[in-house]
């Protein structure tokens, strides 16, 4: 095929190459650049959030880890269904049990922490990259579990149970936040390794 | 305009025909350089590598037609080409520090566009490799119909080729890729590239014959995709 000449004196390859090269250049859609610029800005914002938000999240995790022994909380996380079960022994008094002073301050600390985590997650949700299908399904599951805990909190009376629920809420919010950060972590890890051979 | 002759040289070496034909081929390539072969000022590249959005737009504007045309020719679909264009440009911007100037900037960018277009095809259509019907044979002795076909007809015929065939045809004839380079892109052997090229050429001939023949009695005898 290569050496066969056509009636223009070119071989088939050369004539086909010439014909293909003679095809006119196309012009991209006019909105291609605005879309690309917007996408670039979004990715930059998300990356900025990652680099400012991740250290803050890690610091919060570290602080929580250090403060954990001082919170005097039951470390065993009860399953949500336990709340639905009736409390085993009858309380000494029919009224709501009083919360000890230390318990109250710990509860307030947990509530504040939960609020901060929630704000961080909401910020990621608003400004971060959209989640893919699987991550989105996980996020919905986590949100459902948070909703269930909120429901249980509204009904819980026992201070230890309340504290456990707040702690579970924080853990779920942390998981939700990390879920939002995951695409950036993967992208950042992939960056230096992927060189383009030339 | 700076003309990079490295791929032209490869293409000319690849063509082992008679001397005048090789010279003609080389002339064709140098005279019709891909618009990726543009000189980009070092200052612009530096600003691009620093993440300057204005420099990004300058680079984009300079290469948008070349990148879009390449993406469109390889993918054959505007929506897929748009994804390939955006992803490749974004990767170029975000990985600009990986560009060390060992090859021309346009060649580096072109490689990204090719990679992204192939990735889009793999993602979008799982069966990128299509088997040709061996019974479909054109008249190999007839003059190449692309010499008579207009650009629109050739464009249509190109888009009717199976993905792999179209990509191989374009990379080989227009972008000057060698069979080894094409095989690397597909993760296949050079035999794959050569057979796809031969079959794509034959198929293109078949697709174009009805376009250039005037006699109505022959239009029904050709097979289309």
């Amino acid at each position: 095929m290569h050496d066969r000449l056509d009636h223009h004196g070119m071989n088939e390859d050369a004539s086909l190459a010439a014909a293909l090269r003679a095809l006119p250049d196309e012009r991209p859609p006019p909105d291609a650049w605005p879309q690309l610029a917007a996408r670039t800005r979004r990715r930059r914002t998300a990356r900025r959030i990652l680099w400012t938000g991740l250290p803050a999240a890690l610091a919060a995790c570290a602080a929580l880890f250090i403060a954990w022994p001082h919170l005097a909380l039951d470390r065993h996380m009860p399953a949500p269904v336990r709340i639905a079960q009736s409390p085993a022994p009858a309380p000494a008094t029919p009224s709501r049990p009083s919360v000890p002073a230390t318990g109250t301050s710990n509860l307030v600390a947990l509530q504040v922490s939960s609020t901060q985590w929630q704000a961080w997650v909401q910020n990621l949700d608003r400004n971060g990259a959209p989640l893919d299908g699987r991550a989105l399904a996980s996020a919905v599951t986590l949100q459902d579990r948070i909703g269930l805990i909120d429901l249980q909190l509204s009904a819980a009376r026992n201070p230890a149970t309340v504290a456990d629920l707040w702690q579970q809420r924080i853990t779920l919010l942390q998981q939700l936040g990390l879920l939002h950060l995951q695409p950036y972590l993967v992208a950042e890890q992939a960056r230096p390794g992927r060189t383009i051979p030339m | 305009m700076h003309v990079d002759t490295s791929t032209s040289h490869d293409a000319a070496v690849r063509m082992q025909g008679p001397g005048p034909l090789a010279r003609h081929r080389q002339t064709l390539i140098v005279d019709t350089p891909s618009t990726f072969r543009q000189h980009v000022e070092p200052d612009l590249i530096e600003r691009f590598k620093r993440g300057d959005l204005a420099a990004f737009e300058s680079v984009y504007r300079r290469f948008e037609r070349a990148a879009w045309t390449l993406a469109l020719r390889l993918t054959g679909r505007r929506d897929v080409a748009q994804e390939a264009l955006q992803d490749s440009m974004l990767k170029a911007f975000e990985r600009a520090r990986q560009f060390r100037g060992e090859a021309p900037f346009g060649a580096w960018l072109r490689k990204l566009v090719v990679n992204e277009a192939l990735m889009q095809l793999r993602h979008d259509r799982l069966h990128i490799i299509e088997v040709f019907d061996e019974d479909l044979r054109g008249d190999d002795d007839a003059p190449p119909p692309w010499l008579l076909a207009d650009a629109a007809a050739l464009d249509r015929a190109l888009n009717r080729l199976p993905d792999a065939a179209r990509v191989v045809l374009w990379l080989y004839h227009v972008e000057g890729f060698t069979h080894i380079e094409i095989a690397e892109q597909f993760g296949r052997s050079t035999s794959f590239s050569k057979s796809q090229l031969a079959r794509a050429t034959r198929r293109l001939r078949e697709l174009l014959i009805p376009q250039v023949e005037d006699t109505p009695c022959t239009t029904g005898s050709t097979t289309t995709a």
Side-chain angles (χ1 to χ4, degrees):
Chain A
M1 184 175 78
H2 285 229
D3 295 336
R4 198 159 56 81
L5 302 182
D6 61 29
H7 61 277
H8 285 189
M10 299 163 73
N11 78 349
E12 193 175 73
D13 267 9
S15 67
L16 178 53
L20 292 173
R21 285 169 183 276
L23 286 174
D25 271 3
E26 302 277 343
R27 194 173 282 280
D31 62 343
W33 170 252
Q35 281 183 18
L36 184 57
R39 197 173 154 192
T40 307
R41 286 193 195 96
R42 276 201 307 274
R43 285 172 71 97
R44 280 187 163 185
T45 307
R47 187 161 289 157
R48 204 171 296 128
I49 289 170
L50 173 69
W51 289 114
T52 56
L54 190 60
L58 291 174
C61 281
L64 201 64
F65 181 76
I66 292 164
W68 191 253
H70 307 291
L71 290 176
L73 295 174
D74 181 6
R75 291 188 192 194
H76 176 67
M77 292 277 190
V81 287
R82 283 179 58 190
I83 308 301
Q85 292 166 355
S86 57
T93 56
S95 61
R96 183 175 175 168
S98 61
V99 179
T102 52
T104 307
S105 62
N106 290 338
L107 196 61
V108 170
L110 284 170
Q111 286 170 340
V112 169
S113 178
S114 175
T115 308
Q116 287 170 345
W117 279 107
Q118 188 160 347
W120 179 65
V121 169
Q122 282 172 344
N123 188 32
L124 281 175
D125 194 32
R126 272 196 304 271
N127 301 316
L131 298 173
D132 63 26
R134 208 164 67 173
L136 194 62
S138 301
V140 169
T141 305
L142 287 170
Q143 284 164 355
D144 284 350
R145 289 175 65 188
I146 291 169
L148 183 64
I149 285 179
D150 288 345
L151 201 65
Q152 291 168 341
L153 276 171
S154 66
R157 294 287 178 269
N158 185 303
T161 305
V162 171
D164 279 346
L165 286 168
W166 279 109
Q167 186 52 55
Q168 284 185 57
R169 193 176 198 279
I170 290 167
T171 306
L172 290 172
L173 284 167
Q174 286 169 346
Q175 288 174 6
L176 195 56
L178 287 174
L179 201 65
H180 280 280
L181 288 175
Q182 212 166 18
Y184 308 115
L185 290 170
V186 171
E188 287 306 312
Q189 280 171 355
R191 269 184 85 192
R194 289 193 65 183
T195 54
I196 297 153
M198 287 298 299
Chain B
M1 177 189 288
H2 170 75
V3 176
D4 169 39
T5 55
S6 58
T7 49
S8 306
H9 176 71
D10 292 344
V13 169
R14 191 181 63 214
M15 166 141 171
Q16 296 296 321
L21 279 179
R23 281 198 296 278
H24 176 76
R25 164 83 174 183
Q26 196 164 20
T27 306
L28 267 176
I29 291 167
V30 175
D31 286 350
T32 55
S34 157
T35 39
F36 277 107
R37 292 178 191 153
Q38 297 181 46
H39 176 68
V40 183
E41 299 78 13
D43 172 58
L44 179 59
I45 292 177
E46 277 310 307
R47 287 193 293 125
F48 184 71
K49 287 168 95 169
R50 285 201 302 267
D52 182 344
L53 203 58
F56 183 27
E57 184 171 6
S58 295
V59 167
Y60 174 85
R61 296 291 181 204
R62 199 171 287 201
F63 289 99
E64 63 176 337
R65 289 188 70 168
W68 170 254
T69 303
L70 176 56
L72 192 60
R73 297 286 181 232
L74 294 182
T75 63
R77 272 173 48 190
R78 297 182 75 84
D79 56 338
V80 183
Q82 182 142 2
E83 285 292 316
L85 173 72
Q86 293 226 347
D87 287 356
S88 55
M89 285 289 184
L90 200 56
K91 277 189 181 167
F93 187 52
E94 292 182 346
R95 298 176 185 180
R97 287 173 193 277
Q98 290 178 10
F99 174 68
R100 294 190 170 85
E102 291 157 0
F105 182 83
W108 181 75
L109 186 61
R110 186 184 68 161
K111 186 95 178 165
L112 283 172
V113 176
V114 171
N115 286 345
E116 281 306 314
L118 287 180
M119 200 175 288
Q120 291 292 336
L121 282 178
R122 286 190 198 104
H123 181 261
D124 200 49
R125 296 172 229 185
L126 293 175
H127 304 290
I128 184 174
I129 312 298
E130 291 181 34
V131 178
F132 282 84
D133 184 352
E134 292 294 343
D135 294 335
L136 293 175
R137 303 187 69 85
D139 179 6
D140 286 345
D141 294 326
W146 41 83
L147 292 174
L148 308 171
D150 60 19
L154 183 56
D155 189 38
R156 275 197 304 274
L158 199 60
N159 285 339
R160 290 176 67 182
L161 289 177
D163 290 337
R166 186 180 53 252
V167 169
V168 170
L169 194 75
W170 192 266
L171 291 182
Y172 183 84
H173 283 307
V174 182
E175 302 300 329
F177 277 47
T178 63
H179 283 302
I180 295 171
E181 290 169 332
I182 294 169
E184 281 171 2
Q185 286 286 342
F186 280 88
R188 304 287 289 260
S189 66
T190 51
S191 309
F192 163 81
S193 174
K194 286 175 185 173
S195 65
Q196 285 290 317
L197 181 69
R199 290 164 178 181
T201 307
R202 195 190 310 145
R203 185 79 176 117
L204 197 66
R205 179 190 285 272
E206 290 164 359
L207 287 167
L208 283 168
I209 285 170
Q211 308 290 331
V212 294
E213 285 186 353
D214 294 324
T215 47
C217 61
T218 58
T219 52
S221 64
T222 54
T223 309
T224 54

